[in-house]
Amino acid sequence: MKVILAKPRGFCAGVERAIDIVERALEKYGAPVYVRHEIVHNKHVVDDLRGKGARFVDELDEIPVGGITVFSAHGVSQRVEDDAALRRLPVIDATCPLVSKVHHEAQRYAGDGRDIVLIGHDGHPEVEGTMGRIDGKVYLVATPDDVAKLEVRDPRKLAYVTQTTLSVDDTRSVIEALRLRFPTILGPDTRDICYATQNRQRAVHDLAMLADLILVVGAQNSSNSNRLREIATEMGVRSFLIADASALDPAWLEGVETVGVTAGASAPEHLVQQLVDRLRELGASIVEVLPGVEENVRFKMPPELADSPGVAP
Ligand code: SF4
């Protein structure tokens, strides 16, 4: 049995920055540091940071006066930001700059008097944050069907933005449906889907041409990880999203010659390596990495931590 690893896979620059922010904050201010919601959608990452002194909370009222507060990579609504200011919480914002870019884009369209169609998944924290950043009417859609049912105030005054971690192909079809129904709608093509999501989707697409089983390491609530599994499945390759090596069922490997392995943007590489070790125990004799895009994206630290040396990896 052969194992082929996708490239790129795993951590993106936004996730690396968010984790780095919590670690630097712990180093600079000492424990505890309060993080609103999971900093990124990965239990292993969250547990690791909890072990170092981070406390994860659902709402700001769980944070004591003066508690250092970190917003997660998915971003927050204006209400949450205002609430933190009212409570005088010292906030460090770990919102991925590519999510902030979507907020600004939507605000600009709304400022021009357009209602916003947000393409995204209901209930995802990024979607809640983006909706809560728009001063005006927002319609949430996920499929061309939703577009067909959409009732808007003024079809000539619309713009759309998207969640950053959607399927590139599915989003294209939703945008086509929007443009057909509302020819004057403005929007950014599929460019709101971030570079990391696009690169990982392209890589799993290439992997699916070679593998007869694909394993995606990632959390069940991770949007971009789910999209990777879906793409492999749509290409006719059996695919599973697993949290780590312990979730691998050896029965899946029966008759399999080539296993493709990838990981969502919030899954650490050590989980991939543990999975590869497990696959070796189960008979894999060759491990290869598929050629793919080299990512060099790095985001700046927020000003509060710019002078902090950071923690050696
Ligand atoms: S998946 Fe994209 S938008 Fe989300 S944190 Fe990573 S780089 Fe940022």
Side-chain angles (χ1 to χ4, degrees):
M1 188 171 65
K2 181 176 175 179
V3 174
I4 308 181
L5 296 165
K7 180 183 168 187
R9 61 178 181 273
F11 278 2
C12 61
V15 163
E16 274 180 358
R17 174 176 178 270
I19 296 168
D20 203 13
I21 284 173
V22 179
E23 290 184 334
R24 287 186 193 214
L26 282 164
E27 195 188 43
K28 181 167 176 177
Y29 304 105
V33 162
Y34 295 86
V35 184
R36 186 181 176 276
H37 293 179
E38 290 188 322
I39 183 77
V40 300
H41 276 155
N42 192 281
K43 186 181 175 310
H44 291 269
V45 171
V46 168
D47 286 348
D48 181 50
L49 291 173
R50 191 179 282 124
K52 293 175 178 169
R55 296 227 182 121
F56 292 88
V57 298
D58 288 329
E59 291 308 331
L60 297 181
D61 58 14
E62 295 166 53
I63 304 174
V65 177
I68 300 286
T69 303
V70 178
F71 291 156
S72 84
H74 297 112
V76 298
S77 66
Q78 191 61 49
R79 184 191 58 76
V80 171
E81 192 174 309
D82 293 347
D83 198 16
L86 260 178
R87 289 169 190 274
R88 297 180 190 278
L89 294 173
V91 167
I92 306 173
D93 190 358
T95 303
C96 176
L98 299 181
V99 174
S100 301
K101 180 178 141 254
V102 177
H103 294 172
H104 295 141
E105 218 165 53
Q107 285 159 350
R108 207 184 59 239
Y109 288 132
D112 289 343
R114 291 181 180 269
D115 289 345
I116 307 296
V117 181
L118 171 59
I119 306 170
H121 295 293
D122 198 9
H124 190 278
E126 182 186 322
V127 165
E128 285 173 6
T130 302
M131 290 182 88
R133 287 279 164 181
I134 301 166
D135 201 9
K137 185 83 188 147
V138 188
Y139 307 97
L140 180 62
V141 299
T143 64
D145 250 18
D146 295 342
V147 174
K149 291 185 206 132
L150 202 57
E151 287 180 23
V152 299
R153 288 198 297 202
D154 184 348
R156 293 159 307 168
K157 288 293 229 177
L158 287 176
Y160 66 85
V161 294
T162 86
Q163 191 180 329
T164 55
T165 48
L166 299 175
S167 150
V168 175
D169 290 338
D170 291 352
T171 305
R172 199 169 286 128
S173 64
V174 177
I175 291 173
E176 273 168 22
L178 280 170
R179 288 198 174 131
L180 260 177
R181 242 200 105 185
F182 310 111
T184 58
I185 195 167
L186 296 183
D189 200 11
T190 55
R191 278 168 300 162
D192 283 338
I193 299 179
C194 77
Y195 80 96
T197 301
Q198 299 199 31
N199 288 345
R200 279 152 193 70
Q201 288 184 12
R202 199 172 305 133
V204 82
H205 181 276
D206 294 348
L207 199 58
M209 313 239 244
L210 304 170
D212 32 16
L213 171 75
I214 288 195
L215 302 173
V216 180
V217 180
Q220 294 298 328
N221 60 347
S222 158
S223 175
N224 78 87
S225 306
N226 275 290
R227 302 294 83 77
L228 297 178
R229 187 194 55 72
E230 281 170 17
I231 288 169
T233 306
E234 281 161 14
M235 290 183 66
V237 181
R238 211 150 53 103
S239 175
F240 297 95
L241 174 59
I242 56 174
D244 54 37
S246 70
L248 170 66
D249 181 347
W252 297 340
L253 303 174
E254 263 166 48
V256 168
E257 287 177 9
T258 307
V259 186
V261 173
T262 187
S266 42
E269 178 62 16
H270 70 87
L271 297 182
V272 173
Q273 292 309 322
Q274 282 168 9
L275 177 60
V276 171
D277 291 346
R278 180 74 184 123
L279 288 167
R280 283 188 205 275
E281 282 169 17
L282 293 168
S285 51
I286 305 168
V287 179
E288 289 175 358
V289 180
L290 205 60
V293 174
E294 196 71 53
E295 291 180 340
N296 300 309
V297 178
R298 293 279 175 280
F299 296 129
K300 276 199 305 198
M301 279 286 112
E304 300 85 352
L305 298 172
D307 60 346
S308 166
V311 182

